[in-house]
Amino acid sequence: MPVDKLFDPTGPSTTFIVILAGSLIALAAVVLLGLWYYHREPVREIKLQPITGNDRERWVQRIDDVVARHADGADEQARALHIELAGELREILGERAGMDVRSWQPSHLRKVDTFERAADAISSWEAPSFAPYARGDIPKARDRAVEAVLAW
């Protein structure tokens, strides 16, 4: 086929231009929607459940039970304690929020003003738990968890 027959010498047709423009607009919309979905935060307006003194005592007891299971103080026990304590604190946050927050990252938990201390504690436990030689202070971890719970 000769080269002069590949392209129309008068330029593309109006139909082709409309289809191309529509496709580019649709592509831009899909990219923007994808970026919005990727960066959206799962934090909604959370209505915190009311607390009684009994709740605080029960939550502190749950934290103490987790710490008691890892009381010997070895580094591997501290690593396991940090992971289990982070899970337990997330469970307590879920009770307080009235919704499941177990899969929320600490950055998402920080968006809720009441959960900032708990998010900081969880973050401090999870980051070093994946280090090659994680070290942890079991009594200090317990104190941070209790402090986060009692701050409410």
Side-chain angles (χ1 to χ4, degrees), residues 63 78-79 81-90 92-93 104-107 109-110 112-130 135-152:
I63 291 168
R79 181 182 292 213
L81 168 76
H82 286 163
I83 297 299
E84 193 172 343
L85 205 52
E88 190 64 38
L89 197 52
R90 279 192 171 99
I92 293 169
L93 292 173
W104 285 20
Q105 297 175 1
S107 61
L109 291 171
R110 265 189 212 97
V112 181
D113 293 335
T114 311
F115 294 165
E116 281 185 38
R117 281 189 182 179
D120 290 341
I122 290 170
S123 180
S124 72
W125 299 328
E126 288 182 345
S129 70
F130 296 105
R135 300 204 185 278
D137 185 1
I138 290 177
K140 185 177 178 182
R142 184 244 181 233
D143 291 343
R144 282 194 83 174
V146 169
E147 180 183 303
V149 168
L150 294 180
W152 301 328

Side-chain angles (χ1 to χ4, degrees), residues 46-104:
I46 294 178
K47 293 190 177 194
L48 299 176
Q49 305 299 318
I51 299 175
T52 63
N54 212 12
D55 287 337
R56 285 188 177 101
E57 292 171 11
R58 184 172 48 83
W59 292 334
V60 170
Q61 184 58 46
R62 286 170 55 182
I63 291 168
D64 287 339
D65 290 345
V66 170
V67 172
R69 286 194 292 270
H70 303 279
D72 69 0
D75 283 341
E76 287 302 314
Q77 287 294 329
R79 181 182 292 213
L81 168 76
H82 286 163
I83 297 299
E84 193 172 343
L85 205 52
E88 190 64 38
L89 197 52
R90 279 192 171 99
E91 290 284 334
I92 293 169
L93 292 173
E95 283 182 35
R96 180 79 166 99
M99 61 189 302
D100 185 14
V101 297
R102 288 179 294 178
S103 63
W104 285 20

Side-chain angles (χ1 to χ4, degrees), residues 40-46 99 104-105 108:
R40 75 180 174 87
E41 300 292 329
V43 178
R44 311 182 274 272
E45 289 297 319
I46 294 178
M99 61 189 302
W104 285 20
Q105 297 175 1
H108 295 144

